[in-house]
């Protein structure tokens, strides 16, 4: 990995470099995605099944598009019992964490006849997109479904691409069953997102779509936003490790590579106050890359978006971390909790040398669906709040409204909205 002295020019260059990874920059695919979305909206099942045959090679029809109970039982039988137990333990942690996020409706009653409040209501139907193909990501299934289930969503509709044999990956399907998916459909890509957004004869329309996917899925979610809600337009994975001289260089190198292996656009950045540690980490990265299975992806990722930044002070290092606003931020310093209090922008914060990023990906409980590409400055991790909506509640008695009604009339007339003013005035005529 390249070692660079951190200054204003360096920071500006890196921020500009990282923004090139934003999915919103991939408009070359936008026209194709929009055509697919429009076609599914128009032709519904017919278009969905045509694209499934074209892109996934599977013969899917209205008769077999929904996963059956028999298919779920068959999938469970194929999953390693040891992995099943691991998923169940992870689920317990994820559910307990998200149960702490649950909000309740509240009402405040005043003695003069005013009741104000907020009514919290779970979304009725949510769509969860899960990538398919050879790879299976059961952790992503758990992280997207469990918060919805905890929030009280009645219908959790999962879509995932089938294999050429028309079957869903057994690990993916088992995770969906364990987590609480109410329906699973064999559909993927932009066409599945469109089906969830507009509904087809076979797949019901949902209120919100969540879940990761490739650039076509990301752009499809962007295209249907407004017709339905979405979680985010997710970009490539990223990690920033913030250290001083006390960090273990072998641990740091391993953690940087844990995200760099995702794909060639993944970002791995070390910001440290120690040049000696920077050099040690760079050496250890080279050792690991030669040993790990995804060598080519790691090399491209580090070449494109891998940096070791040597900061003149911890204050400068923290300022840089806040500017980059990384999806994953590890703090490995002498006083990591003190440093944590100064962090404003990060998707998830991992504190101390034994809180490695994969702990959050799989097991600890906090959600691993996190804001990317600097959006941690204003977005939060996926959670229970993403699956509820809030309604304001207002009640005034006549006695409560009377002393303030002229104020409301004055406000409305100042905005030249005479019907607004009249709506209040008529209640006190005569």
């Amino acid at each position: 990995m390249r070692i660079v002295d951190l200054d204003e020019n360096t920071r500006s260059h890196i921020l500009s470099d990282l923004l090139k990874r934003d999915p919103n920059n991939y408009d070359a695919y936008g026209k194709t995605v929009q055509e697919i979305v429009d076609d599914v909206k128009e032709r519904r099942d017919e278009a969905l099944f045509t694209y499934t045959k074209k892109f996934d090679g599977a013969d899917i029809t209205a008769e077999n598009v929904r996963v059956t109970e028999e298919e779920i039982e068959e999938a469970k039988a194929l999953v390693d019992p040891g992995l099943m137990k691991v998923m169940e333990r992870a689920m317990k942690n994820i559910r307990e964490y998200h149960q702490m996020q649950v909000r309740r409706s509240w009402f405040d009653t005043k003695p003069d006849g005013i009741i104000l409040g907020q009514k919290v209501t779970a979304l009725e139907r949510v769509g969860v997109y899960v990538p398919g193909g050879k790879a299976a990501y059961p952790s992503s299934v758990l992280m997207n479904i469990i918060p919805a289930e905890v929030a009280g969503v009645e219908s959790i509709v999962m879509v995932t691409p089938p294999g050429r044999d028309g079957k869903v990956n057994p690990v993916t399907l088992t995770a969906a069953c364990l987590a609480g998916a109410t329906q699973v459909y064999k559909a993927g890509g932009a066409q599945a997102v469109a089906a969830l957004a507009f509904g087809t004869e076979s797949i019901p329309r949902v209120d919100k779509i969540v879940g990761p996917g490739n650039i076509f899925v990301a752009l499809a979610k962007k295209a249907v936003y407004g017709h339905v809600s979405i979680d985010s337009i997710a970009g490539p994975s990223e990690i920033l490790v913030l250290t001083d001289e006390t960090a273990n260089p072998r641990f740091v190198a391993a953690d940087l590579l844990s995200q760099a292996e995702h794909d060639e656009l993944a970002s791995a950045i070390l910001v440290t106050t120690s040049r000696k540690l920077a050099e040690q980490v760079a050496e250890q990265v080279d050792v690991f890359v030669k040993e790990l299975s995804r060598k080519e992806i790691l090399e491209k990722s580090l070449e494109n978006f891998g940096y070791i930044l040597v900061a003149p002070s911890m204050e400068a290092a923290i300022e840089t971390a806040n500017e980059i606003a990384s999806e994953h931020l590890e703090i490995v310093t002498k006083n990591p909790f003190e440093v944590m209090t100064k962090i404003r922008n990060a998707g998830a914060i991992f504190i101390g040398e034994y809180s490695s990023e994969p702990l959050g990906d799989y097991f600890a409980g906090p959600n691993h669906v996190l804001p990317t590409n600097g959006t941690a400055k204003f977005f939060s991790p996926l959670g229970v709040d993403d699956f509820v909506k809030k309604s304001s509640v207002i009640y005034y008695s006549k006695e409560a409204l009377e002393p303030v009604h002229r104020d409301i009339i004055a406000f409305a007339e100042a905005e030249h909205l005479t019907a607004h003013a009249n709506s209040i005035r008529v209640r006190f005529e005569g």
Side-chain angles (χ1 to χ4, degrees):
M1 291 179 71
R2 73 201 97 175
I3 300 176
V4 182
D5 287 320
L6 181 61
D7 55 31
E8 283 299 322
N9 289 333
T10 301
R11 184 185 301 159
S12 176
H13 169 74
I14 290 172
L15 288 171
S16 175
D17 202 30
L18 293 176
L19 287 174
K20 296 175 185 175
R21 303 156 61 250
D22 189 337
N24 291 308
N25 293 332
Y26 290 84
D27 287 338
Y29 302 104
K31 183 180 178 184
T32 300
V33 168
Q34 190 63 57
E35 288 173 353
I36 294 172
V37 168
D38 291 342
D39 195 17
V40 173
K41 183 180 180 182
E42 177 69 25
R43 296 194 297 129
R44 306 171 75 195
D45 266 359
E46 182 183 357
L48 177 67
F49 300 149
T50 299
Y51 289 120
T52 302
K53 178 65 175 176
K54 178 179 179 180
F55 297 127
D56 300 310
D59 291 309
I60 300 300
T61 66
E63 285 68 42
N64 67 3
V65 66
R66 181 170 176 174
V67 171
T68 64
E69 288 296 327
E70 290 76 18
E71 288 174 300
I72 292 172
E73 292 305 315
E74 178 187 336
K76 286 182 180 178
L78 295 172
V79 175
D80 177 78
L83 177 58
M84 186 86 81
K85 286 186 171 62
V86 169
M87 286 197 289
E88 289 170 348
R89 290 197 292 270
M91 277 178 54
K92 180 177 181 292
N93 294 340
I94 296 166
R95 181 167 283 110
E96 287 178 354
Y97 180 86
H98 287 87
Q99 283 170 339
M100 297 296 290
Q101 298 178 344
V102 174
R103 297 196 191 198
R104 308 294 180 190
S105 299
W106 59 267
F107 300 92
D108 181 30
T109 303
K110 300 182 184 298
D112 54 359
I114 297 174
I115 301 174
L116 300 178
Q118 180 173 269
K119 184 176 183 293
V120 179
T121 309
L123 301 182
E124 186 176 348
R125 185 179 290 124
V126 167
V128 176
Y129 186 94
V130 175
K134 294 179 180 178
Y137 299 102
S139 62
S140 183
V141 177
L142 304 184
M143 293 290 184
N144 280 277
I145 292 178
I146 290 175
E149 184 260 337
V150 169
V153 176
E154 290 183 9
S155 180
I156 303 172
V157 181
M158 191 180 100
V159 294
T160 188
R164 289 184 174 274
D165 58 359
K167 294 183 180 294
V168 173
N169 183 292
V171 176
T172 298
L173 192 51
T174 299
C177 175
L178 292 175
T182 53
Q183 303 153 59
V184 180
Y185 292 93
K186 303 167 186 175
Q191 61 272 20
V193 173
L196 290 172
F198 301 111
T200 73
E201 294 89 344
S202 299
I203 297 180
R205 184 184 187 278
V206 301
D207 302 312
K208 184 166 188 172
I209 301 172
V210 302
N214 61 19
I215 188 63
F216 293 97
V217 171
L219 291 178
K221 286 167 71 176
K222 181 180 177 182
V224 302
Y225 178 64
H227 298 283
V228 293
S229 180
I230 61 171
D231 51 354
S232 65
I233 309 295
S237 188
E238 56 200 32
I239 186 171
L240 188 149
V241 182
L242 183 60
T243 77
D244 57 18
E245 73 284 354
T246 65
N248 182 318
R250 186 170 171 85
F251 292 179
V252 173
D255 292 356
L256 290 168
L257 295 177
S258 73
Q259 294 308 291
E261 76 169 343
H262 272 293
D263 63 59
E264 295 173 5
L265 293 175
S267 167
I269 298 174
L270 167 63
V271 184
T272 181
T273 54
S274 169
R275 176 165 289 278
K276 180 181 179 182
L277 181 85
E279 293 169 350
Q280 291 173 327
V281 170
E283 291 174 6
Q284 189 60 59
V285 164
D286 290 340
V287 172
F288 279 141
V289 168
K290 292 174 184 176
E291 300 172 351
L292 296 169
S293 61
R294 297 168 71 90
K295 180 182 177 183
E296 290 185 11
I297 291 175
L298 287 168
E299 288 176 338
K300 288 275 181 64
S301 170
L302 297 177
E303 180 184 345
N304 293 330
F305 302 107
Y307 297 93
I308 295 177
L309 306 177
V310 181
S313 66
M314 183 53 66
E315 288 71 25
I318 293 169
E319 184 180 353
T320 299
N322 280 325
E323 275 297 304
I324 293 174
S326 185
E327 177 187 19
H328 307 99
L329 170 65
E330 291 188 6
I331 303 174
V332 192
T333 61
K334 187 182 298 182
N335 300 304
F337 285 93
E338 179 185 345
V339 173
M340 182 270 291
T341 64
K342 299 174 183 177
I343 296 298
R344 296 180 58 87
N345 305 320
I349 303 172
F350 300 79
I351 300 174
E353 65 179 2
Y354 288 97
S355 302
S356 176
E357 187 280 333
L359 177 66
D361 270 354
Y362 297 112
F363 205 77
N367 211 289
H368 77 197
V369 180
L370 303 167
T372 57
N373 256 81
T375 60
K377 290 181 179 179
F378 45 84
F379 280 148
S380 305
L382 189 73
V384 171
D385 274 355
D386 289 283
F387 299 101
V388 300
K389 56 192 178 69
K390 306 169 188 87
S391 302
S392 303
V393 176
I394 302 167
Y395 168 80
Y396 267 56
S397 67
K398 182 178 180 180
E399 292 72 22
L401 182 60
E402 196 279 332
V404 300
H405 81 280
R406 290 184 179 85
D407 293 341
I408 303 167
I409 291 170
F411 224 141
E413 289 179 341
E415 295 185 348
H416 306 290
L417 296 174
T418 55
H420 279 63
N422 187 59
S423 173
I424 298 294
R425 186 180 289 112
V426 296
R427 284 165 166 78
F428 296 95
E429 289 176 334

